[in-house]
Amino acid sequence: MENYWNQEIECMSREDMKKLQDERLVAQVKHVYENVKYYRDLMDEKGVTPDDIRSTDDLHKLPFLTKADLRDAYPYGLLAKPLSECTEIHSTSGTTGKRVVAFYTKNDIDLWHDCCARAITAVGGTKDDVCQVCYGYGLFTGGPGLDGGSHKVGCLTLPMSSGNTERQIQFMRDMGATIICCTPSYAAYIGETLHDMGLTTDDIKLKAGIFGAEPWTEEMRRSIEKSLGIKAYDIYGLTETSGPGVSFECSEQTGMHINEDHFIPEIIDPDTGEVLPEGSVGELVFTSITKEAFPLLRYRTRDLCVLSRKKCSCGRTLIKMAKPMGRSDDMMIIRGVNVFPSQIEAVLIEQGYSPNYLIEVDRVNNNDTIDVSVEMNPDQLSDKVKDMQKQERLLAEAMKAMIGINPKVHLVTPKSITRSEGKAVRVIDRRKLHD
């Protein structure tokens, strides 16, 4: 029996959903054009007026927004409501340049929490659950979003934030937490710490985890499920569109249902901007059709993925997005080859190594170099240099088969790579420092 938070919306017919989206899009374009000079100028430049947008079929006529636009318009240039009607802000965790700041009215917050409540309900969450939220709080959207969703569902909410992992485990045990929400890399670390403390999955009551905010592989999903004894579900969101809850996984776990009553997705060719047909791999673009304070139209996420309307066994009719295969701006081009960190992570877990690794890219004598430091598990340690060299060579060969270029692999001792309690830092690209 599948749980729905809002069955009427989550199982709505395609025709009714399109009608709802059409109405909301037309109203939203008018709202943005009248209240956001920055976007009105973009529309005028493109020769588009609100009258040209009569349904979602006209979406392609609107100009795109990018992260660069958000930085140029910082802080108030994309605000569509008076500040007196805004009740909250959140911001990206980006460390370069101006941060991206998003504004929320009381209604925006309510709808965002509603989206997160759908995600918690989809993993089996009810008012009888204890939901431990270990995403960061504050400006980051992870903690506040899932916290609000948990309250809506009526769970007992443990607003832990990240860090102090032994205390997390103590509360998890004492309060009988059944659902955990955090980044996948932090979930892996909690699992590792649990076992280091001499505990097993029998000592905790967790049944499900909602993990997002960074890319993670199917291999890492299985590893987390085993170490915490749970079912691990994906959640997706962007600060720019509200935060987590833009889409969420159901029991089928074959992609994330997009909350289409709030967000219209498109897949475009990242180079030409052309809208691609369903089933194509391309860049994900979102249009917020219910946001009041900070409504972004055709926002380019830089995430590369695929959309599918294939019938889902959970009964939801909301379109699905595949787990993003990387970001067009996370992609490293090394010796002319496109490389994603997730490809290297998949190889490591497949070969029985820990998902704790660091990729260092550099340029030496005009040639790109790629070094991958990989933590060994205690049972992989060896006193024999020859054994270690053989392990490194085999791992390098497996990576070359996956990414098409030869990396230099360095096996390092357990726990020697810095752990992250938020988003994990997996890549250091030193070429940018020389350029």
Side-chain angles (χ1 to χ4, degrees):
M1 174 65 190
E2 186 66 37
N3 295 313
Y4 305 104
W5 173 249
N6 183 340
Q7 187 166 356
E8 187 191 343
I9 292 286
E10 294 174 58
C11 302
M12 189 177 266
S13 72
R14 183 75 217 113
E15 299 72 37
D16 287 347
M17 180 59 78
K18 186 173 185 315
K19 195 177 163 205
L20 180 65
Q21 287 180 328
D22 290 346
E23 286 168 11
R24 288 181 171 179
L25 176 66
V26 168
Q28 188 70 294
V29 171
K30 192 170 181 291
H31 169 57
V32 170
Y33 190 83
E34 288 171 0
N35 295 291
V36 182
K37 183 184 183 300
Y38 189 98
Y39 199 76
R40 180 166 65 247
D41 290 347
L42 289 179
M43 282 178 68
D44 289 348
E45 204 179 299
K46 213 176 171 197
V48 188
T49 70
D51 292 340
D52 297 319
I53 311 300
R54 294 178 181 179
S55 76
T56 52
D57 300 333
D58 298 318
L59 195 55
H60 67 278
K61 297 175 184 175
L62 292 168
F64 291 114
L65 275 175
T66 65
K67 194 165 262 192
D69 289 310
L70 270 60
R71 289 190 174 125
D72 290 347
Y74 176 90
Y76 298 127
L78 285 165
L79 192 59
K81 283 282 187 182
L83 269 183
S84 58
E85 290 183 38
C86 298
T87 58
E88 205 166 306
I89 68 156
H90 285 284
S91 176
T92 55
S93 52
T95 51
T96 55
K98 288 177 187 163
R99 296 172 72 102
V100 169
V101 171
F103 297 82
Y104 302 72
T105 62
K106 191 170 181 296
N107 187 52
D108 289 337
I109 295 284
D110 189 53
L111 295 182
W112 173 30
H113 291 171
D114 205 74
C115 288
C116 291
R118 292 181 195 180
I120 291 168
T121 308
V123 309
T126 69
K127 63 181 177 54
D128 297 321
D129 279 289
V130 178
C131 184
Q132 184 158 337
V133 183
C134 319
Y135 283 109
Y137 279 67
L139 287 171
F140 181 55
T141 54
L146 271 307
D147 186 290
S150 175
H151 281 129
K152 279 216 163 198
V153 174
C155 306
L156 172 63
T157 309
L158 310 185
M160 301 293 294
S161 194
S162 60
N164 205 333
T165 308
E166 292 197 1
R167 188 182 66 181
Q168 298 272 10
I169 292 168
Q170 183 195 330
F171 267 89
M172 192 181 289
R173 295 180 70 203
D174 293 350
M175 309 309 288
T178 51
I179 297 171
I180 184 169
C181 309
C182 60
T183 60
S185 53
Y186 192 45
Y189 184 41
I190 290 173
E192 195 183 320
T193 308
L194 180 80
H195 296 285
D196 287 349
M197 289 166 72
L199 302 170
T200 71
T201 53
D202 292 338
D203 295 302
I204 55 174
K205 289 185 177 173
L206 287 183
K207 63 178 184 183
I210 299 176
F211 307 126
E214 62 189 17
W216 54 307
T217 56
E218 285 303 314
E219 289 79 7
M220 190 162 182
R221 187 206 297 266
R222 287 192 285 274
S223 172
I224 292 170
E225 287 185 335
K226 192 177 166 195
S227 75
L228 290 174
I230 59 172
K231 251 190 120 169
Y233 296 85
D234 213 344
I235 191 168
Y236 176 89
L238 303 143
T239 302
E240 298 90 321
T241 52
S242 65
V246 170
S247 66
F248 59 91
E249 251 182 347
C250 63
S251 55
E252 193 175 276
Q253 292 183 299
T254 56
M256 291 171 277
H257 289 287
I258 295 170
N259 285 312
E260 290 184 271
D261 51 325
H262 301 296
F263 310 101
I264 302 176
E266 301 171 272
I267 293 286
I268 63 162
D269 180 315
D271 299 321
T272 65
E274 176 199 356
V275 179
L276 299 174
E278 187 192 314
S280 310
V281 175
E283 182 183 342
L284 185 60
V285 171
F286 276 117
T287 295
S288 299
I289 48 174
T290 53
K291 281 284 297 266
E292 296 176 338
F294 198 71
L296 301 187
L297 306 182
R298 299 198 87 201
Y299 181 68
R300 296 184 60 161
T301 67
R302 296 288 174 201
D303 284 320
L304 301 172
C305 77
V306 180
L307 296 178
S308 167
R309 286 211 175 274
K310 200 173 151 201
K311 197 171 178 187
C312 186
S313 61
C314 78
R316 287 178 181 82
T317 51
L318 300 170
I319 195 168
K320 269 186 183 173
M321 59 179 275
K323 185 187 276 292
M325 41 200 78
R327 290 171 65 85
S328 54
D329 52 2
D330 268 359
M331 184 178 77
M332 303 172 283
I333 300 176
I334 302 168
R335 296 175 217 153
V337 177
N338 296 349
V339 178
F340 290 101
S342 56
Q343 293 172 300
I344 286 171
E345 182 179 291
V347 171
L348 294 181
I349 296 176
E350 214 167 74
Q351 300 283 330
Y353 289 88
S354 98
N356 292 303
Y357 61 95
L358 183 67
I359 302 165
E360 295 177 83
V361 184
D362 209 337
R363 187 170 289 130
V364 180
N365 299 327
N366 296 320
N367 280 323
D368 289 341
T369 63
I370 173 167
D371 288 68
V372 185
S373 298
V374 180
E375 264 188 26
M376 289 177 289
N377 295 316
D379 58 347
Q380 291 164 329
L381 289 166
S382 171
D383 293 336
K384 294 180 184 166
V385 175
K386 265 188 180 170
D387 287 350
M388 296 284 283
Q389 288 173 336
K390 185 184 175 188
Q391 281 176 263
E392 287 174 340
R393 194 180 70 250
L394 290 172
L395 201 43
E397 284 168 7
M399 284 183 197
K400 188 185 178 187
M402 169 67 90
I403 62 177
I405 53 174
N406 219 344
K408 200 163 190 180
V409 173
H410 312 273
L411 290 173
V412 297
T413 54
K415 304 207 187 314
S416 57
I417 293 174
T418 308
R419 295 293 188 273
S420 164
E421 291 167 347
K423 292 190 186 187
V425 177
R426 300 293 194 202
V427 182
I428 298 173
D429 193 339
R430 301 188 199 282
R431 295 174 302 180
K432 293 172 182 168
L433 304 176
H434 313 322
D435 293 349

